[in-house]
Amino acid sequence: MAGILRVDQANVDVIGPKTAGGTISIPGHVIQVQSSVKTDAFSTNSTSYQAIGLSVTITPKFTNSKILVMVSIAAAMGGAGSWHGQLTRNASVVVQGDALGSRRRDSFGSSDTYGNDNTMCSVLNYLDSPGSTSTQTYAIQICAGDGNGTAHINRPDSDNDNSNGTRCVSTITVMEIAQ
């Protein structure tokens, strides 16, 4: 016999899985977390987006779950120009700025030239709705905007001993949020 129990308040020490038929989903709560860290360097002077070797995979437990994606990229630009970044899910761009004229549409990036020893952090937080319980792979791609320099991840442009440059880390973390 199945039924519904309604209460105004319940105090419990532990909520365990249902005795039959699956798991418990409490709206707004984190169901699972996956994370990946990139500690090595990557560089490109390509004007086409290149995978930087930073990705994370998550298999949502529910089709209506949201996925909170948090990205932190340590980047530098050598030469005059800009670097551009995209967040992809299963090789398709997830989020990008609005179209306007000939401007690139990116998830994140910078048009500043930092100088040879400067590495800056770019952060992106995005709440995605994949609408599936299939495996989702979130990845980062970058490019050098106009080909007038080299875009670097986790290192400065000069990257020499006895310079003021530093080696950094980049991360991507995803959280499945119950709805």
Side-chain angles (χ1 to χ4, degrees), residues 4 7 9 11 23 46 64 74 76 88 115 136 147 164 173 178:
I4 296 175
V7 296
Q9 180 178 353
N11 296 319
T23 60
S46 175
N64 68 338
T88 63
Q136 308 295 314
N164 290 326
T173 301

Side-chain angles (χ1 to χ4, degrees), residues 44 82 120 171 179:
T44 184
S82 58
M120 305 294 277
T171 64
Q179 297 304 298

Side-chain angles (χ1 to χ4, degrees), residues 1-68:
M1 169 188 249
I4 296 175
L5 172 65
R6 288 191 164 89
V7 296
D8 291 329
Q9 180 178 353
N11 296 319
V12 297
D13 291 325
V14 176
I15 296 177
K18 296 189 311 185
T19 55
T23 60
I24 293 175
S25 172
I26 303 170
H29 286 75
V30 175
I31 297 171
Q32 62 174 312
V33 178
Q34 303 294 329
S35 186
S36 185
V37 177
K38 180 174 180 61
T39 60
D40 61 330
F42 173 87
S43 298
T44 184
N45 60 4
S46 175
T47 57
S48 299
Y49 292 97
Q50 307 291 312
I52 68 169
L54 180 60
S55 65
V56 66
T57 300
I58 189 167
T59 305
K61 296 190 185 308
F62 304 100
T63 57
N64 68 338
S65 291
K66 304 275 189 190
I67 305 296
L68 178 59

Side-chain angles (χ1 to χ4, degrees), residues 1 13 22-23 26 41 47 54 78 81 84 95 97 100-101 104-105 108 113 127-128 151:
M1 169 188 249
D13 291 325
T23 60
I26 303 170
T47 57
L54 180 60
H84 304 269
V95 61
L100 182 62
R104 281 186 180 261
R105 298 181 66 203
F108 53 88
T113 302
L127 190 61
D128 190 28

Side-chain angles (χ1 to χ4, degrees), residues 42-52 73 75-78 81-86 104-106 108-111 140-153:
F42 173 87
S43 298
T44 184
N45 60 4
S46 175
T47 57
S48 299
Y49 292 97
Q50 307 291 312
I52 68 169
I73 300 294
M77 187 68 197
S82 58
W83 68 271
H84 304 269
Q86 294 186 137
R104 281 186 180 261
R105 298 181 66 203
D106 295 314
F108 53 88
S110 176
S111 59
I140 304 302
Q141 300 176 341
I142 67 161
C143 70
D146 54 15
N148 288 329
T150 301
H152 304 285
I153 299 296

